[in-house]
């Protein structure tokens, strides 16, 4: 059986082709891409998830066995938050690095510079661009948060019109604010298909992450139900077993690591959408062919 031809990014694709080509691209490019993610992003996510999991277990215990002493409550809450906040800061840094690495690889692929690319090469490409990716991420997250506060429907609008933001900067170097404007320009006239694509590829990504979430949900629900039954029968609320903290640490670390590894599904799909919109609206490939004919 012959291998599929290398994916051509600059091509008009319909909805089904965008989804199918996403997995073709990942199948063809998984080695350098996931090697970089596994080396640079996953270790940070593992550390952050390990410490966050223990804090989440402590919060779960506080919910199951509430204390009547306000001093004890604030003391336990303070110790939990002290660990949880640095863990989430680490996670945000890992995710920012992840976004930059994936999109810089897509840029290298578009320029035919991906052959033989190493993790060190990707790091050297990524590091100078972290500020721009942070600006784009911060502004788009802020707009999405404002939209959520206002109403659910405006948040869907923001998600759709800013869906191509990171790819815009990766390919065109439009910067933080410029990437948002460029994404809005490309999505204009194609809002509903873009929103549909974002929701479907987001659902696919969520399904990929489900296996890592099932054990935590099962164990937590079992002990929560047991505690409720004991309370209803007039007994003391059940305490979580000693091993639950370690279990949550490991489970959260695995969940966050899987989230890192599955993100390229979303990034590649939206990048393909970007190139498809570029071809539909601006047809640079056609102009290049015409110029080639004229020069010949």
């Amino acid at each position: 059986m012959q291998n599929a031809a290398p994916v051509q990014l600059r091509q008009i694709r319909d909805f089904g082709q965008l989804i199918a080509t996403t997995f073709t691209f990942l199948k063809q490019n998984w080695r350098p891409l996931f090697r970089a993610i596994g080396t640079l992003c996953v270790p940070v996510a593992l550390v952050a998830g390990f410490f966050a999991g223990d804090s989440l277990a402590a919060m779960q215990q506080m919910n199951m066995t509430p204390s009547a002493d306000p001093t004890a409550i604030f003391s336990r809450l303070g110790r939990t938050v002290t660990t949880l906040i640095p863990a989430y800061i680490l996670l945000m840094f890992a995710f920012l690095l992840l976004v930059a690495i994936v999109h810089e690889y897509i840029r290298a692929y578009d320029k035919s510079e991906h052959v033989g690319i190493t993790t060190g090469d990707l790091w050297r490409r990524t590091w100078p661009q972290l500020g721009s990716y942070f600006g784009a991420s911060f502004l788009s997250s802020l707009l999405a948060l404002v939209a959520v506060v206002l109403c659910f429907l405006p948040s869907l609008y923001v998600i759709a019109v800013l869906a191509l933001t990171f790819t815009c900067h990766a390919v065109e170097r439009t910067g933080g604010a410029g990437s948002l404007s460029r994404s809005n320009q490309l999505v204009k006239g194609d809002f509903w298909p873009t929103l549909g694509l974002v929701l479907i590829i987001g659902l696919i990504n969520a399904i990929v992450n489900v296996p890592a979430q099932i054990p935590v949900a099962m164990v937590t629900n079992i002990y929560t139900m047991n505690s409720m039954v004991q309370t209803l029968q007039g007994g003391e609320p059940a305490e979580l077993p000693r091993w639950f903290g370690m279990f949550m640490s490991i489970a959260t670390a695995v969940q966050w690591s899987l989230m890192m590894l599955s993100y390229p599904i979303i990034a590649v799909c939206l990048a393909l959408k970007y190139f498809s919109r570029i071809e539909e609206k601006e047809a640079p490939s056609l102009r290049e062919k015409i110029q080639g004919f004229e020069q010949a």
Side-chain angles (χ1 to χ4, degrees):
M1 182 176 179
Q2 293 184 342
N3 294 327
V7 171
Q8 300 296 318
L9 295 179
R10 295 181 179 272
Q11 180 177 325
I12 298 175
R13 292 181 170 91
D14 61 25
F15 192 96
Q17 290 172 332
L18 290 170
I19 300 293
T21 308
T22 295
F23 292 97
T24 302
F25 182 92
L26 292 174
K27 183 179 178 181
Q28 294 176 350
N29 297 272
W30 68 270
R31 193 181 299 275
L33 189 54
F34 287 101
R35 183 173 57 225
I37 295 172
T39 302
L40 300 174
C41 302
V42 170
V44 181
L46 283 171
V47 172
F50 187 84
F51 287 104
D54 186 64
S55 297
L56 294 173
M59 293 178 69
Q60 181 69 19
Q61 183 63 67
M62 289 173 61
N63 291 332
M64 294 177 61
T65 56
S67 174
D69 183 3
T71 303
I73 294 175
F74 283 111
S75 177
R76 293 168 64 184
L77 188 61
R79 290 196 300 270
T80 302
V81 171
T82 301
T83 305
L84 200 58
I85 290 178
Y88 275 103
I89 291 175
L90 272 179
L91 175 65
M92 288 188 290
F93 172 74
F95 186 76
L96 174 64
L97 187 59
L98 171 69
V99 168
I101 287 173
V102 174
H103 286 88
E104 286 305 300
Y105 182 83
I106 293 171
R107 175 184 174 86
Y109 188 94
D110 180 48
K111 292 181 172 295
S112 300
E113 299 170 353
H114 64 292
V115 178
I117 195 169
T118 65
T119 298
D121 295 332
L122 270 176
W123 171 253
R124 286 186 286 273
R125 289 169 176 265
T126 297
W127 178 251
Q129 300 300 324
L130 280 180
S132 296
Y133 284 109
F134 172 77
S137 179
F138 176 78
L139 291 173
S140 56
S141 298
L142 182 62
L143 289 173
L145 178 62
V146 171
V148 169
V149 171
L150 293 176
C151 183
F152 177 70
L153 291 179
S155 66
L156 294 179
Y157 174 80
V158 171
I159 289 172
V161 299
L162 301 183
L164 312 182
T165 295
F166 296 132
T167 312
C168 288
H169 175 70
V171 178
E172 304 179 21
R173 290 295 189 249
T174 45
S179 298
L180 274 66
S181 175
R182 178 61 169 154
S183 176
N184 179 53
Q185 178 188 359
L186 290 173
V187 173
K188 188 177 296 183
D190 195 54
F191 172 80
W192 291 111
T194 303
L195 177 60
L197 182 67
V198 170
L199 295 178
I200 294 300
I201 202 64
L203 178 61
I204 293 173
N205 184 65
I207 292 173
V208 170
N209 283 273
V210 163
Q213 299 170 1
I214 291 176
V216 174
M218 290 180 61
V219 172
T220 302
N221 288 335
I222 288 171
Y223 279 99
T224 301
M225 290 298 296
N226 287 340
S227 179
M228 291 176 60
V229 170
Q230 287 186 221
T231 303
L232 291 174
Q233 292 176 348
E236 292 293 327
E239 290 194 2
L240 292 169
R242 292 184 177 180
W243 54 262
F244 186 76
M246 180 59 67
F247 168 77
M248 281 295 293
S249 293
I250 295 173
T252 305
V254 171
Q255 286 179 9
W256 288 7
S257 298
L258 182 58
M259 182 175 64
M260 296 280 141
L261 294 171
S262 66
Y263 170 74
I265 296 174
I266 295 175
V268 170
C269 185
L270 295 181
L272 291 172
K273 180 65 174 178
Y274 162 86
F275 287 111
S276 181
R277 287 298 293 159
I278 287 288
E279 293 298 313
E280 289 174 352
K281 297 193 70 172
E282 301 172 2
S285 295
L286 178 59
R287 286 200 297 270
E288 290 173 4
K289 290 179 181 178
I290 293 174
Q291 290 174 359
F293 291 142
E294 291 176 348
Q295 293 174 0

PDB file of all heavy atoms in Angstrom, residues 91-114:
ATOM      1  N   LEU A  91       1.030  25.605  34.079  1.00  0.00           N
ATOM      2  CA  LEU A  91       0.212  25.053  32.994  1.00  0.00           C
ATOM      3  C   LEU A  91       0.033  26.076  31.881  1.00  0.00           C
ATOM      4  O   LEU A  91       0.142  25.736  30.690  1.00  0.00           O
ATOM      5  CB  LEU A  91      -1.149  24.619  33.528  1.00  0.00           C
ATOM      6  CG  LEU A  91      -2.156  24.134  32.470  1.00  0.00           C
ATOM      7  CD1 LEU A  91      -1.657  22.854  31.801  1.00  0.00           C
ATOM      8  CD2 LEU A  91      -3.528  23.920  33.084  1.00  0.00           C
ATOM      9  N   MET A  92      -0.232  27.329  32.232  1.00  0.00           N
ATOM     10  CA  MET A  92      -0.424  28.369  31.221  1.00  0.00           C
ATOM     11  C   MET A  92       0.858  28.595  30.417  1.00  0.00           C
ATOM     12  O   MET A  92       0.800  28.795  29.203  1.00  0.00           O
ATOM     13  CB  MET A  92      -0.892  29.671  31.883  1.00  0.00           C
ATOM     14  CG  MET A  92      -2.337  29.620  32.374  1.00  0.00           C
ATOM     15  SD  MET A  92      -2.969  31.224  32.954  1.00  0.00           S
ATOM     16  CE  MET A  92      -2.017  31.431  34.465  1.00  0.00           C
ATOM     17  N   PHE A  93       2.008  28.539  31.091  1.00  0.00           N
ATOM     18  CA  PHE A  93       3.269  28.679  30.365  1.00  0.00           C
ATOM     19  C   PHE A  93       3.469  27.504  29.407  1.00  0.00           C
ATOM     20  O   PHE A  93       3.887  27.687  28.257  1.00  0.00           O
ATOM     21  CB  PHE A  93       4.440  28.758  31.335  1.00  0.00           C
ATOM     22  CG  PHE A  93       5.779  28.721  30.651  1.00  0.00           C
ATOM     23  CD1 PHE A  93       6.253  29.835  29.963  1.00  0.00           C
ATOM     24  CD2 PHE A  93       6.555  27.565  30.662  1.00  0.00           C
ATOM     25  CE1 PHE A  93       7.480  29.803  29.306  1.00  0.00           C
ATOM     26  CE2 PHE A  93       7.778  27.530  30.007  1.00  0.00           C
ATOM     27  CZ  PHE A  93       8.242  28.645  29.337  1.00  0.00           C
ATOM     28  N   ALA A  94       3.167  26.291  29.891  1.00  0.00           N
ATOM     29  CA  ALA A  94       3.314  25.107  29.039  1.00  0.00           C
ATOM     30  C   ALA A  94       2.393  25.199  27.830  1.00  0.00           C
ATOM     31  O   ALA A  94       2.776  24.836  26.713  1.00  0.00           O
ATOM     32  CB  ALA A  94       3.010  23.844  29.845  1.00  0.00           C
ATOM     33  N   PHE A  95       1.172  25.704  28.044  1.00  0.00           N
ATOM     34  CA  PHE A  95       0.224  25.806  26.936  1.00  0.00           C
ATOM     35  C   PHE A  95       0.663  26.879  25.942  1.00  0.00           C
ATOM     36  O   PHE A  95       0.538  26.693  24.728  1.00  0.00           O
ATOM     37  CB  PHE A  95      -1.174  26.124  27.464  1.00  0.00           C
ATOM     38  CG  PHE A  95      -2.221  26.096  26.397  1.00  0.00           C
ATOM     39  CD1 PHE A  95      -2.692  24.887  25.895  1.00  0.00           C
ATOM     40  CD2 PHE A  95      -2.740  27.266  25.867  1.00  0.00           C
ATOM     41  CE1 PHE A  95      -3.647  24.845  24.898  1.00  0.00           C
ATOM     42  CE2 PHE A  95      -3.695  27.242  24.877  1.00  0.00           C
ATOM     43  CZ  PHE A  95      -4.157  26.024  24.392  1.00  0.00           C
ATOM     44  N   LEU A  96       1.195  27.994  26.440  1.00  0.00           N
ATOM     45  CA  LEU A  96       1.704  29.034  25.549  1.00  0.00           C
ATOM     46  C   LEU A  96       2.854  28.489  24.703  1.00  0.00           C
ATOM     47  O   LEU A  96       2.908  28.718  23.480  1.00  0.00           O
ATOM     48  CB  LEU A  96       2.184  30.227  26.376  1.00  0.00           C
ATOM     49  CG  LEU A  96       2.887  31.352  25.602  1.00  0.00           C
ATOM     50  CD1 LEU A  96       1.936  32.015  24.620  1.00  0.00           C
ATOM     51  CD2 LEU A  96       3.470  32.382  26.567  1.00  0.00           C
ATOM     52  N   LEU A  97       3.750  27.752  25.339  1.00  0.00           N
ATOM     53  CA  LEU A  97       4.859  27.141  24.622  1.00  0.00           C
ATOM     54  C   LEU A  97       4.349  26.136  23.593  1.00  0.00           C
ATOM     55  O   LEU A  97       4.852  26.058  22.462  1.00  0.00           O
ATOM     56  CB  LEU A  97       5.792  26.464  25.619  1.00  0.00           C
ATOM     57  CG  LEU A  97       7.113  25.905  25.093  1.00  0.00           C
ATOM     58  CD1 LEU A  97       7.947  27.019  24.445  1.00  0.00           C
ATOM     59  CD2 LEU A  97       7.893  25.247  26.228  1.00  0.00           C
ATOM     60  N   LEU A  98       3.331  25.389  23.976  1.00  0.00           N
ATOM     61  CA  LEU A  98       2.722  24.404  23.074  1.00  0.00           C
ATOM     62  C   LEU A  98       2.152  25.072  21.833  1.00  0.00           C
ATOM     63  O   LEU A  98       2.394  24.629  20.697  1.00  0.00           O
ATOM     64  CB  LEU A  98       1.631  23.650  23.823  1.00  0.00           C
ATOM     65  CG  LEU A  98       0.727  22.713  23.016  1.00  0.00           C
ATOM     66  CD1 LEU A  98       1.515  21.504  22.543  1.00  0.00           C
ATOM     67  CD2 LEU A  98      -0.475  22.284  23.853  1.00  0.00           C
ATOM     68  N   VAL A  99       1.373  26.124  22.024  1.00  0.00           N
ATOM     69  CA  VAL A  99       0.773  26.856  20.899  1.00  0.00           C
ATOM     70  C   VAL A  99       1.855  27.354  19.949  1.00  0.00           C
ATOM     71  O   VAL A  99       1.751  27.211  18.726  1.00  0.00           O
ATOM     72  CB  VAL A  99      -0.076  28.035  21.425  1.00  0.00           C
ATOM     73  CG1 VAL A  99      -0.471  28.974  20.284  1.00  0.00           C
ATOM     74  CG2 VAL A  99      -1.321  27.521  22.134  1.00  0.00           C
ATOM     75  N   ALA A 100       2.905  27.931  20.527  1.00  0.00           N
ATOM     76  CA  ALA A 100       3.973  28.480  19.700  1.00  0.00           C
ATOM     77  C   ALA A 100       4.708  27.384  18.935  1.00  0.00           C
ATOM     78  O   ALA A 100       4.996  27.529  17.743  1.00  0.00           O
ATOM     79  CB  ALA A 100       4.946  29.267  20.581  1.00  0.00           C
ATOM     80  N   ILE A 101       5.016  26.281  19.591  1.00  0.00           N
ATOM     81  CA  ILE A 101       5.756  25.193  18.935  1.00  0.00           C
ATOM     82  C   ILE A 101       4.963  24.614  17.771  1.00  0.00           C
ATOM     83  O   ILE A 101       5.492  24.426  16.663  1.00  0.00           O
ATOM     84  CB  ILE A 101       6.092  24.089  19.961  1.00  0.00           C
ATOM     85  CG1 ILE A 101       7.204  24.560  20.893  1.00  0.00           C
ATOM     86  CG2 ILE A 101       6.499  22.792  19.259  1.00  0.00           C
ATOM     87  CD1 ILE A 101       7.480  23.615  22.038  1.00  0.00           C
ATOM     88  N   VAL A 102       3.686  24.317  18.003  1.00  0.00           N
ATOM     89  CA  VAL A 102       2.864  23.706  16.955  1.00  0.00           C
ATOM     90  C   VAL A 102       2.742  24.638  15.758  1.00  0.00           C
ATOM     91  O   VAL A 102       2.891  24.217  14.601  1.00  0.00           O
ATOM     92  CB  VAL A 102       1.478  23.328  17.495  1.00  0.00           C
ATOM     93  CG1 VAL A 102       0.575  22.820  16.366  1.00  0.00           C
ATOM     94  CG2 VAL A 102       1.603  22.264  18.580  1.00  0.00           C
ATOM     95  N   HIS A 103       2.499  25.899  16.011  1.00  0.00           N
ATOM     96  CA  HIS A 103       2.293  26.831  14.900  1.00  0.00           C
ATOM     97  C   HIS A 103       3.602  27.194  14.202  1.00  0.00           C
ATOM     98  O   HIS A 103       3.597  27.462  12.987  1.00  0.00           O
ATOM     99  CB  HIS A 103       1.562  28.079  15.386  1.00  0.00           C
ATOM    100  CG  HIS A 103       0.115  27.835  15.664  1.00  0.00           C
ATOM    101  ND1 HIS A 103      -0.349  27.395  16.884  1.00  0.00           N
ATOM    102  CD2 HIS A 103      -0.979  27.929  14.859  1.00  0.00           C
ATOM    103  CE1 HIS A 103      -1.652  27.238  16.833  1.00  0.00           C
ATOM    104  NE2 HIS A 103      -2.059  27.565  15.621  1.00  0.00           N
ATOM    105  N   GLU A 104       4.709  27.178  14.931  1.00  0.00           N
ATOM    106  CA  GLU A 104       5.994  27.408  14.268  1.00  0.00           C
ATOM    107  C   GLU A 104       6.368  26.210  13.396  1.00  0.00           C
ATOM    108  O   GLU A 104       7.016  26.364  12.365  1.00  0.00           O
ATOM    109  CB  GLU A 104       7.079  27.691  15.299  1.00  0.00           C
ATOM    110  CG  GLU A 104       6.979  29.070  15.929  1.00  0.00           C
ATOM    111  CD  GLU A 104       6.977  30.187  14.903  1.00  0.00           C
ATOM    112  OE1 GLU A 104       7.961  30.303  14.146  1.00  0.00           O
ATOM    113  OE2 GLU A 104       5.974  30.938  14.837  1.00  0.00           O
ATOM    114  N   TYR A 105       5.935  25.011  13.795  1.00  0.00           N
ATOM    115  CA  TYR A 105       6.159  23.854  12.928  1.00  0.00           C
ATOM    116  C   TYR A 105       5.323  23.982  11.654  1.00  0.00           C
ATOM    117  O   TYR A 105       5.800  23.672  10.553  1.00  0.00           O
ATOM    118  CB  TYR A 105       5.816  22.549  13.644  1.00  0.00           C
ATOM    119  CG  TYR A 105       6.084  21.339  12.770  1.00  0.00           C
ATOM    120  CD1 TYR A 105       7.363  20.809  12.682  1.00  0.00           C
ATOM    121  CD2 TYR A 105       5.079  20.773  11.992  1.00  0.00           C
ATOM    122  CE1 TYR A 105       7.637  19.730  11.853  1.00  0.00           C
ATOM    123  CE2 TYR A 105       5.341  19.700  11.156  1.00  0.00           C
ATOM    124  CZ  TYR A 105       6.620  19.177  11.091  1.00  0.00           C
ATOM    125  OH  TYR A 105       6.888  18.114  10.255  1.00  0.00           O
ATOM    126  N   ILE A 106       4.081  24.443  11.807  1.00  0.00           N
ATOM    127  CA  ILE A 106       3.230  24.649  10.631  1.00  0.00           C
ATOM    128  C   ILE A 106       3.852  25.691   9.705  1.00  0.00           C
ATOM    129  O   ILE A 106       3.830  25.537   8.475  1.00  0.00           O
ATOM    130  CB  ILE A 106       1.811  25.073  11.069  1.00  0.00           C
ATOM    131  CG1 ILE A 106       1.116  23.912  11.795  1.00  0.00           C
ATOM    132  CG2 ILE A 106       0.972  25.519   9.872  1.00  0.00           C
ATOM    133  CD1 ILE A 106      -0.195  24.288  12.446  1.00  0.00           C
ATOM    134  N   ARG A 107       4.428  26.731  10.266  1.00  0.00           N
ATOM    135  CA  ARG A 107       5.111  27.743   9.448  1.00  0.00           C
ATOM    136  C   ARG A 107       6.278  27.111   8.688  1.00  0.00           C
ATOM    137  O   ARG A 107       6.466  27.357   7.490  1.00  0.00           O
ATOM    138  CB  ARG A 107       5.611  28.873  10.341  1.00  0.00           C
ATOM    139  CG  ARG A 107       6.454  29.923   9.599  1.00  0.00           C
ATOM    140  CD  ARG A 107       6.996  30.968  10.568  1.00  0.00           C
ATOM    141  NE  ARG A 107       7.913  31.874   9.892  1.00  0.00           N
ATOM    142  CZ  ARG A 107       7.552  32.967   9.229  1.00  0.00           C
ATOM    143  NH1 ARG A 107       6.282  33.277   9.146  1.00  0.00           N
ATOM    144  NH2 ARG A 107       8.451  33.744   8.655  1.00  0.00           N
ATOM    145  N   ALA A 108       7.073  26.298   9.404  1.00  0.00           N
ATOM    146  CA  ALA A 108       8.205  25.640   8.764  1.00  0.00           C
ATOM    147  C   ALA A 108       7.738  24.712   7.648  1.00  0.00           C
ATOM    148  O   ALA A 108       8.351  24.638   6.573  1.00  0.00           O
ATOM    149  CB  ALA A 108       9.004  24.860   9.811  1.00  0.00           C
ATOM    150  N   TYR A 109       6.645  24.021   7.877  1.00  0.00           N
ATOM    151  CA  TYR A 109       6.100  23.113   6.855  1.00  0.00           C
ATOM    152  C   TYR A 109       5.650  23.906   5.628  1.00  0.00           C
ATOM    153  O   TYR A 109       5.903  23.505   4.488  1.00  0.00           O
ATOM    154  CB  TYR A 109       4.928  22.336   7.438  1.00  0.00           C
ATOM    155  CG  TYR A 109       4.406  21.226   6.549  1.00  0.00           C
ATOM    156  CD1 TYR A 109       4.862  19.922   6.706  1.00  0.00           C
ATOM    157  CD2 TYR A 109       3.455  21.474   5.561  1.00  0.00           C
ATOM    158  CE1 TYR A 109       4.385  18.899   5.894  1.00  0.00           C
ATOM    159  CE2 TYR A 109       2.992  20.466   4.737  1.00  0.00           C
ATOM    160  CZ  TYR A 109       3.450  19.176   4.917  1.00  0.00           C
ATOM    161  OH  TYR A 109       2.986  18.170   4.105  1.00  0.00           O
ATOM    162  N   ASP A 110       4.990  25.031   5.861  1.00  0.00           N
ATOM    163  CA  ASP A 110       4.519  25.860   4.746  1.00  0.00           C
ATOM    164  C   ASP A 110       5.673  26.371   3.906  1.00  0.00           C
ATOM    165  O   ASP A 110       5.548  26.519   2.683  1.00  0.00           O
ATOM    166  CB  ASP A 110       3.698  27.031   5.304  1.00  0.00           C
ATOM    167  CG  ASP A 110       3.168  27.953   4.213  1.00  0.00           C
ATOM    168  OD1 ASP A 110       2.596  27.434   3.229  1.00  0.00           O
ATOM    169  OD2 ASP A 110       3.335  29.175   4.343  1.00  0.00           O
ATOM    170  N   LYS A 111       6.812  26.622   4.550  1.00  0.00           N
ATOM    171  CA  LYS A 111       7.981  27.131   3.838  1.00  0.00           C
ATOM    172  C   LYS A 111       8.918  26.006   3.380  1.00  0.00           C
ATOM    173  O   LYS A 111      10.045  26.273   2.939  1.00  0.00           O
ATOM    174  CB  LYS A 111       8.743  28.100   4.745  1.00  0.00           C
ATOM    175  CG  LYS A 111       7.988  29.395   5.031  1.00  0.00           C
ATOM    176  CD  LYS A 111       8.795  30.318   5.915  1.00  0.00           C
ATOM    177  CE  LYS A 111       8.127  31.676   6.031  1.00  0.00           C
ATOM    178  NZ  LYS A 111       8.082  32.400   4.755  1.00  0.00           N
ATOM    179  N   SER A 112       8.457  24.745   3.536  1.00  0.00           N
ATOM    180  CA  SER A 112       9.262  23.566   3.154  1.00  0.00           C
ATOM    181  C   SER A 112      10.584  23.525   3.908  1.00  0.00           C
ATOM    182  O   SER A 112      11.611  23.119   3.376  1.00  0.00           O
ATOM    183  CB  SER A 112       9.513  23.564   1.633  1.00  0.00           C
ATOM    184  OG  SER A 112       8.290  23.513   0.924  1.00  0.00           O
ATOM    185  N   GLU A 113      10.553  23.957   5.168  1.00  0.00           N
ATOM    186  CA  GLU A 113      11.747  23.943   6.019  1.00  0.00           C
ATOM    187  C   GLU A 113      11.633  22.912   7.137  1.00  0.00           C
ATOM    188  O   GLU A 113      12.413  22.929   8.093  1.00  0.00           O
ATOM    189  CB  GLU A 113      11.970  25.338   6.626  1.00  0.00           C
ATOM    190  CG  GLU A 113      12.206  26.418   5.583  1.00  0.00           C
ATOM    191  CD  GLU A 113      12.197  27.827   6.165  1.00  0.00           C
ATOM    192  OE1 GLU A 113      11.882  27.977   7.370  1.00  0.00           O
ATOM    193  OE2 GLU A 113      12.496  28.775   5.410  1.00  0.00           O
ATOM    194  N   HIS A 114      10.661  22.012   7.010  1.00  0.00           N
ATOM    195  CA  HIS A 114      10.391  21.064   8.093  1.00  0.00           C
ATOM    196  C   HIS A 114      11.188  19.776   7.988  1.00  0.00           C
ATOM    197  O   HIS A 114      11.295  19.027   8.956  1.00  0.00           O
ATOM    198  CB  HIS A 114       8.901  20.705   8.089  1.00  0.00           C
ATOM    199  CG  HIS A 114       8.462  19.979   6.853  1.00  0.00           C
ATOM    200  ND1 HIS A 114       8.420  20.592   5.606  1.00  0.00           N
ATOM    201  CD2 HIS A 114       8.066  18.693   6.649  1.00  0.00           C
ATOM    202  CE1 HIS A 114       8.002  19.722   4.706  1.00  0.00           C
ATOM    203  NE2 HIS A 114       7.789  18.564   5.313  1.00  0.00           N
TER     204      HIS A 114
END
